[in-house]
Amino acid sequence: TCLALALLASPVLAKEKKHAKQMDPQAMMEMYQKLATPGEPHKQLASLAGSWITKTKEWMEPGKPPTEAAGSAEMKMLLDGRFLQQDFTSEMMGQPYTGMGITGYDNLRKKYVSIWLDTMGTAPFMMEGTGSADGKTITLKGQHTEPGGGHMTHRAVWKIVDSNTQTFDMWGNHGGGKEMKVMEIVYTPVSYTHLRAHETKANLVC
């Protein structure tokens, strides 16, 4: 039996080795350079760089109103436009909260990838997903291990509404249960927020 399996597998292995040997070094280098070059998804991420004011809603239990908190976020591109870093400050569960996320687009797998670190845990939270045709809506999925065993799965939708608004909505479920909305964040540029405040003050004076 072992001999038969070896004989059956040998043509496949030989074909794979032959294919690998035929890979031209110059072509391989060009392929890697192409995959390493930022494209349209990265340009879309770069459009989010700047200072933002945030408003967060957090649902802890079904049927109960969310808690709300104001905060801020600083976003900047890293490594020559390949990754977007977000530094986020607000409150979570009534406690001071700081988080940092890095999001990019994998040209090889054609997927967005994200890793998030914060002061509420010691484990990184990773998600990946796809974008809409215009690149303005990114849907990410991931999961984390819960205390006591099991996992909670997450689905997040990050949307560029317009030049003055972006939203981040997240849903989750425990152990395959019913999905529920757990978080909503609305981002507004600091410059736009200050402009609206100035306009409101001017109208009051008038």
Side-chain angles (χ1 to χ4, degrees):
T1 303
C2 293
L3 179 59
L5 291 174
L7 290 173
L8 288 171
S10 58
V12 178
L13 295 174
K15 185 177 180 180
E16 290 180 352
K17 289 181 179 179
K18 184 178 179 182
H19 177 73
K21 289 180 179 179
Q22 290 177 347
M23 191 71 172
D24 179 66
Q26 183 61 34
M28 183 182 292
M29 181 61 68
E30 292 176 358
M31 179 185 69
Y32 277 119
Q33 289 178 343
K34 183 178 180 180
L35 291 173
T37 302
E40 288 303 319
H42 304 91
K43 292 179 182 179
Q44 194 72 268
L45 290 174
S47 70
L48 301 176
S51 301
W52 301 79
I53 298 297
T54 66
K55 291 184 178 179
T56 302
K57 291 182 180 180
E58 184 183 17
W59 286 264
M60 297 301 298
E61 296 182 43
K64 291 190 177 182
T67 58
E68 300 185 26
S72 62
E74 294 290 331
M75 300 189 186
K76 63 181 180 180
M77 294 302 289
L78 304 175
L79 301 175
D80 300 324
R82 289 175 172 82
F83 300 93
L84 176 70
Q85 176 179 320
Q86 176 179 179
D87 294 300
F88 184 89
T89 302
S90 185
E91 290 184 359
M92 200 72 68
M93 299 182 183
Q95 300 295 322
Y97 174 88
T98 301
M100 183 184 75
I102 296 178
T103 302
Y105 182 80
D106 185 340
N107 285 332
L108 178 60
R109 297 192 300 143
K110 300 187 183 305
K111 285 188 176 184
Y112 287 89
V113 291
S114 173
I115 181 169
W116 186 262
L117 312 168
D118 59 37
T119 53
M120 291 188 67
T122 56
F125 179 52
M126 293 172 282
M127 305 183 80
E128 65 175 36
T130 57
S132 59
D134 61 4
K136 292 186 177 181
T137 301
I138 301 171
T139 302
L140 302 165
K141 293 182 179 180
Q143 66 177 22
H144 75 265
T145 303
E146 294 190 288
H151 293 82
M152 182 173 185
T153 60
H154 296 274
R155 176 174 63 90
V157 178
W158 191 357
K159 186 174 183 179
I160 303 174
V161 180
D162 53 41
S163 60
N164 294 315
T165 309
Q166 60 168 308
T167 60
F168 184 86
D169 298 290
M170 180 177 282
W171 292 261
N173 68 65
H174 300 270
K178 184 178 179 181
E179 184 181 74
M180 64 171 283
K181 190 170 186 178
V182 294
M183 186 184 300
E184 172 187 296
I185 307 176
V186 178
Y187 296 76
T188 307
V190 170
S191 57
Y192 180 74
T193 304
H194 287 171
L195 176 62
R196 290 297 300 273
H198 178 75
E199 290 177 346
T200 301
K201 185 176 180 179
N203 290 335
L204 290 173
V205 171
C206 293

